[in-house]
Amino acid sequence: MVEDFQALSDLAASYSVGVAYEAVAWGTYIDTWEDSPRTVQDVTRENFGLCLEPFHVAARVWGDNTVEIGVREDADLALRQSLHRLVETCPLDKIYYVQLSDGDKSVPSLQPGHHFYQEDFPPALSWSRNMRPFPLRRI
């Protein structure tokens, strides 16, 4: 993965642009913002940085579309701690893009029988694909 990102960054540099890497809440290997800076550090390219998106941060540590209340146990504390770590440890010079987005609460919660439920999909992936306010899309 690192070699692929290095090649992509080198190609982007030839056009004088950067690459912003985003950890998504359903990622197989990297699924939190906290894992992202390590990837940026490993790529070792000046034009390779982070994309942060509140949806993915919150969907990983705060929200839970599989439960009726829509949030995890101790969600507020977990989010507060995660954001504190972000402020304290994230290399600000490597934040290239902040994408503001949100996700609607899944009512009813995502369970078998729900029209967006897919057994082989991580719940956060289904939430992201089906319950977010994308431009010109009606939910």
Side-chain angles (χ1 to χ4, degrees):
M1 182 173 80
V2 169
E3 289 176 2
D4 290 340
F5 285 146
Q6 288 172 333
L8 177 62
S9 296
D10 293 344
L11 178 62
S14 71
Y15 292 94
S16 300
V17 297
V19 176
Y21 175 73
E22 175 183 21
V24 293
W26 62 86
T28 302
Y29 301 106
I30 297 171
D31 59 359
T32 67
W33 75 263
E34 292 170 293
D35 291 330
S36 303
R38 185 185 71 245
T39 300
V40 170
Q41 183 179 21
D42 290 349
V43 172
T44 65
R45 295 297 190 269
E46 288 298 315
N47 68 328
F48 190 81
L50 298 170
C51 171
L52 297 176
E53 181 180 350
F55 173 83
H56 292 295
V57 173
R60 192 71 183 116
V61 300
W62 187 82
D64 184 349
N65 62 334
T66 66
V67 297
E68 187 176 334
I69 63 170
V71 297
R72 301 173 188 277
E73 268 189 50
D74 298 326
D76 292 341
L77 176 62
L79 182 60
R80 195 169 21 262
Q81 290 173 338
S82 178
L83 295 177
H84 178 74
R85 288 188 300 273
L86 176 73
V87 169
E88 294 296 320
T89 66
C90 188
L92 299 180
D93 62 325
K94 284 298 192 174
I95 298 175
Y96 286 9
Y97 190 78
V98 176
Q99 179 176 313
L100 299 178
S101 185
D102 200 355
D104 289 338
K105 182 178 177 183
S106 186
V107 178
S109 61
L110 187 68
Q111 299 290 327
H114 188 286
H115 62 284
F116 292 139
Y117 179 83
Q118 289 183 286
E119 185 176 348
D120 56 337
F121 267 40
L125 175 56
S126 179
W127 191 11
S128 180
R129 285 189 177 176
N130 298 300
M131 299 296 294
R132 293 177 64 198
F134 293 112
L136 306 176
R137 178 176 177 202
R138 290 179 46 187
I139 295 179

